[in-house]
Amino acid sequence: MSQSGKNGLTYSDAGVDIDAGNLMVEKIKPAVRSTRRPGADGEIGGFGGLFDLKAAGFTDPVLVAANDGVGTKLKIAIDADYHDTVGIDLVAMCVNDLVVQGAEPLFFLDYFATGKLDPDQGAAIVSGIAAGCRESGCALIGGETAEMPGMYSDGDYDLAGFAVGAAERGQLLPAGDIAEGDVILGLSSSGVHSNGFSLVRKIVSISGLDWSAPAPFADGKKLGEALLTPTRIYVKPLLKAIRETGALKALAHITGGGFPENIPRVLPKHLAAEIDLAAIKVPAVFSWLAKTGGVEAHEMLRTFNCGVGMIVVVSAENAAKVTEALTAEGETVFPLGRMVAREDGAHGTIYKGTLGL
């Protein structure tokens, strides 16, 4: 009977290749295995991933969960055909949201959807996810690969990630004692991280540059490669500082919405964060984006991290101790501002000084 005959069709004829899916699972097993940690040592391939909280050393834990994607940064990875690092972004965006609540990331699951599965491309993406999991100390215990012809055009794919962490009861952040006069420390970002990429792509199209052109803001790198610099993962340095000093009162992950949207999420209603914009050493990528796109400073601050990927709130007397603990773990830390009284109806983030774009 011909393929178009009544009973001759296969799933493969509809565009879904089960063998390609099985091949990808085999390709990613070593990467997944590399993320094992106390509490998780199973193989992928079951119907669900298991995690043993007791084996991870917790006695009375509260679980904290977060999920996120990579956004239109993926479009640059697809157009530049460079898939090794977006998995790091995926993990970073989730686990950085866990650590700001004082939680240790424990396990991660990913969702990878594509129009036509390329097992090598899929394996490159998962190797990035595994790298992010190793860097943040969480186990990749499962995931989903969905081949969906007709949903995604040729070459396109999407990623989502789901992370679960834990903290001992009573040790979650923000602490209840944030006060006027507390110091705000900034931790440097690695670049644009994973927010604002629809604007980034618009600016690149205005610039007329190709993804393979030399990056105007990064020596020796192509534009696509430079913009794909993965999101910094702050988990291990912050957990170490939390546990060693006991002095961190609040943390905020600076993602989409920048300072004005993210900092007030961890503040009591009677306090505002006064940010000294002149204290920020703005990475060259942001200056190039602002200049090329004619983007005003206030729009930069509500779209991008502008060089600050994480903020830490500490009492003035503990600022030096916390700075020292984080610097010892490889973070670039600088005084960024302080806590002030919030006027009625005022915003939770206020600025002084000028952003050095």
Side-chain angles (χ1 to χ4, degrees):
M1 186 187 280
S2 73
Q3 195 184 79
S4 56
K6 196 173 173 189
N7 298 317
L9 276 175
T10 65
Y11 206 7
S12 171
D13 296 327
V16 179
D17 187 344
I18 291 171
D19 295 331
N22 291 337
L23 177 60
M24 184 178 141
V25 170
E26 286 312 309
K27 279 181 179 285
I28 66 175
K29 276 185 175 173
V32 173
R33 227 172 264 135
S34 74
T35 70
R36 285 177 170 176
R37 54 151 292 156
D41 55 9
E43 277 283 344
I44 55 165
F47 285 97
L50 304 178
F51 193 90
D52 182 346
L53 277 165
K54 211 165 232 162
F58 287 90
T59 50
D60 186 18
V62 175
L63 294 179
V64 184
N67 73 308
D68 212 333
V70 184
T72 56
K73 187 174 189 175
L74 286 180
K75 198 69 185 144
I76 299 178
I78 291 160
D79 293 345
D81 194 25
Y82 186 76
H83 310 281
D84 302 60
T85 57
V86 286
I88 299 173
D89 288 296
L90 183 68
V91 176
M93 295 303 286
C94 297
V95 295
N96 285 340
D97 278 358
L98 295 182
V99 77
V100 295
Q101 296 179 81
E104 175 190 336
L106 301 176
F107 60 86
F108 190 87
L109 299 103
D110 70 280
Y111 173 80
F112 166 48
T114 182
K116 179 160 180 52
L117 183 61
D118 171 347
D120 288 327
Q121 182 198 62
I125 292 164
V126 174
S127 75
I129 294 172
C133 285
R134 288 192 302 273
E135 199 181 324
S136 54
C138 69
L140 179 56
I141 66 168
E144 163 71 354
T145 301
E147 190 174 24
M148 301 199 282
M151 285 285 284
Y152 295 89
S153 59
D154 200 30
D156 280 353
Y157 62 84
D158 199 7
L159 290 176
F162 309 85
V164 174
E168 292 293 355
R169 195 177 304 279
Q171 290 180 8
L172 291 167
L173 295 177
D177 60 347
I178 303 172
E180 207 174 324
D182 281 350
V183 171
I184 300 167
L185 303 173
L187 304 190
S188 291
S189 68
S190 57
V192 189
H193 285 185
S194 292
N195 299 103
F197 272 88
S198 295
L199 181 55
V200 171
R201 287 167 50 245
K202 192 153 187 68
I203 292 167
V204 171
S205 74
I206 290 167
S207 78
L209 292 173
D210 202 76
W211 299 120
S212 58
F217 52 84
D219 287 346
K221 285 190 173 177
K222 294 175 181 173
L223 180 59
E225 177 198 2
L227 288 171
L228 287 168
T229 300
T231 305
R232 188 165 180 83
I233 293 174
Y234 299 95
V235 169
K236 287 181 178 176
L238 284 172
L239 285 176
K240 201 157 194 282
I242 288 167
R243 288 162 181 169
E244 277 181 8
T245 70
L248 284 73
K249 293 188 175 191
L251 297 163
H253 183 202
I254 307 304
T255 55
F259 295 145
E261 297 298 324
N262 290 294
I263 298 177
R265 293 165 72 174
V266 298
L267 301 183
K269 295 283 179 258
H270 67 285
L271 292 176
E274 182 187 80
I275 302 294
D276 178 9
L277 297 177
I280 303 170
K281 192 179 171 190
V282 180
V285 59
F286 296 108
S287 304
W288 181 79
L289 289 167
K291 189 178 164 194
T292 310
V295 187
E296 291 178 5
H298 75 90
E299 187 64 21
M300 291 295 293
L301 285 163
R302 50 175 253 168
T303 307
F304 299 116
N305 67 62
C306 293
V308 184
M310 185 72 72
I311 68 123
V312 183
V313 180
V314 292
S315 66
E317 63 265 27
N318 286 326
K321 177 168 71 171
V322 171
T323 299
E324 200 177 306
L326 288 167
T327 305
E329 292 303 306
E331 295 301 330
T332 303
V333 190
F334 49 93
L336 182 62
R338 62 195 181 103
M339 285 297 152
V340 296
R342 192 190 308 198
E343 309 291 321
D344 277 353
H347 198 275
T349 308
I350 51 180
Y351 301 122
K352 65 173 200 179
T354 309
L355 190 66
L357 289 166

